[in-house]
Amino acid sequence: MQRHILVIQDLSCLGRCSLLAALPVFNAAGIRATPLPTALLSSHTGFPGAARRDLSEDMAAALGQWETLGLEFDAIHIGYLAGAGQLPVIERALGLFLGENTRLFVDPVMGDWGRAYSYCDGALLEGFRSLCARADLILPNRTEAALLLGEPYSKAPDRPEGLLRQLKALLALGARGAVITGSNGQSGYTGAVCLSEGMLSPRAALTAQLPGDWPGTGDLFAAALEAALLKGRSLEAACETAVQFVARCLQGADASAQTARFGAPFERALPWLALRLAD
Ligand code: PXL
């Protein structure tokens, strides 16, 4: 049976992040992906002057129709929300579609490089904390992990003990698995560390840090990792595939700020991912 995922995050028209990145990745892996857009933006927020519309009402209307259609999902991904005001409609979506065999993936999109995005307030942080507590897997970056744990963001080079402690603390919040992504930009490496209830020890998947400040790499990473999990791979193997996929998206790409802000040229790495995740 073809796998089916409900992808709840924004549609940003320019900048190849969120839905624009996630849907092709799932599709290349042979997974059916149904979007529930949380917001419509003319571009991601790294461009000045992005026009932004909160789609809460449209989400409720879509759920009203979908409720009558007997839909089933193997997984639900929750990413960028328009704000804490959307938590009730997210709850409704989970009430309708989070079945016993549905995996919940939460990417608590709240900030990057040590700074919370301006739309992230205490209510959204609390909302993401409780969503994370119910998740099968959460995928915070280093900034978001610190926010979830109520810790200051550390600019110091990554230390394995520190990341392990954070992974364990994230599982203590209630999540059954956690992946911390990204790097502090100083070590020359980037990638992810993961731990789940079923693993004896944490695992790291690393790659050389490539130049450029690319929006959407977290969304590409999350989609590739979730696709691999839905294709039956272990968390450790899925992490490795997702790290390699993002590296292949960026290898040799023009990393000038003028180009990179339009997002990673992931299209050329999709055939590799499709082969890697073929049945
Ligand atoms: O990739 C995360 C993300 C998602 N959605 C919007 C964003 C960003 C990061 O800046 O601006 C609208």
Side-chain angles (χ1 to χ4, degrees):
M1 261 279 271
Q2 190 181 20
R3 300 282 180 203
H4 189 195
I5 184 166
L6 174 62
V7 189
I8 308 179
Q9 59 183 353
D10 67 291
L11 177 62
S12 288
C13 300
L14 284 176
R16 283 183 282 192
C17 69
S18 41
L19 282 176
L20 247 59
L23 296 181
V25 169
F26 287 120
N27 296 156
I31 291 165
R32 177 180 171 202
T34 296
L36 182 61
T38 56
L40 176 63
L41 290 93
S42 54
S43 72
H44 65 62
T45 54
F47 287 94
R52 190 166 182 278
R53 182 183 296 276
D54 178 325
L55 296 179
S56 301
E57 276 180 33
D58 308 85
M59 292 169 78
L63 292 176
Q65 182 207 23
W66 293 358
E67 193 171 9
T68 67
L69 299 180
L71 302 180
E72 286 182 11
F73 296 97
D74 299 291
I76 299 175
H77 169 98
I78 300 173
Y80 181 100
L81 303 181
Q86 292 196 320
L87 293 166
V89 76
I90 296 295
E91 201 54 53
R92 182 156 165 232
L94 294 180
L96 287 173
F97 299 125
L98 188 60
E100 225 171 79
N101 297 317
T102 312
R103 293 198 234 189
L104 178 61
F105 302 128
V106 179
D107 185 354
V109 179
M110 293 187 288
D112 211 352
W113 300 112
R115 291 183 42 212
Y117 297 137
S118 58
Y119 85 107
C120 175
D121 56 14
L124 186 67
L125 174 57
E126 265 322 303
F128 266 128
R129 264 199 201 119
S130 59
L131 288 171
C132 286
R134 296 156 68 185
D136 293 281
L137 185 72
I138 64 175
L139 304 104
N141 61 29
R142 297 171 81 260
T143 304
E144 292 151 354
L147 285 167
L148 287 172
L149 296 173
E151 295 177 356
Y153 174 77
S154 163
K155 287 213 174 87
D158 293 315
R159 295 173 61 102
E161 317 80 85
L163 288 171
L164 171 59
R165 187 192 53 71
Q166 281 198 324
L167 284 170
K168 285 185 170 161
L170 289 171
L171 295 196
L173 287 181
R176 285 178 283 285
V179 181
I180 301 178
T181 58
S183 82
N184 62 0
Q186 292 171 28
S187 51
Y189 284 88
T190 186
V193 288
C194 63
L195 182 66
S196 70
E197 281 175 349
M199 287 165 62
L200 293 175
S201 58
R203 288 277 179 259
L206 295 174
T207 184
Q209 174 97 45
L210 293 166
D213 189 4
W214 300 93
T217 46
D219 305 322
L220 289 166
F221 174 87
L225 186 146
E226 292 164 17
L229 290 177
L230 288 170
K231 285 303 202 80
R233 309 302 193 266
S234 67
L235 178 57
E236 185 183 351
C239 228
E240 185 64 44
T241 293
V243 166
Q244 283 187 37
F245 171 65
V246 175
R248 279 167 188 269
C249 293
L250 301 182
Q251 265 156 21
D254 173 1
S256 65
Q258 197 50 30
T259 302
R261 64 186 184 152
F262 287 99
F266 64 80
E267 298 82 1
R268 60 194 177 151
L270 292 176
W272 176 86
L273 187 71
L275 262 183
R276 177 110 173 184
L277 296 182
D279 294 315

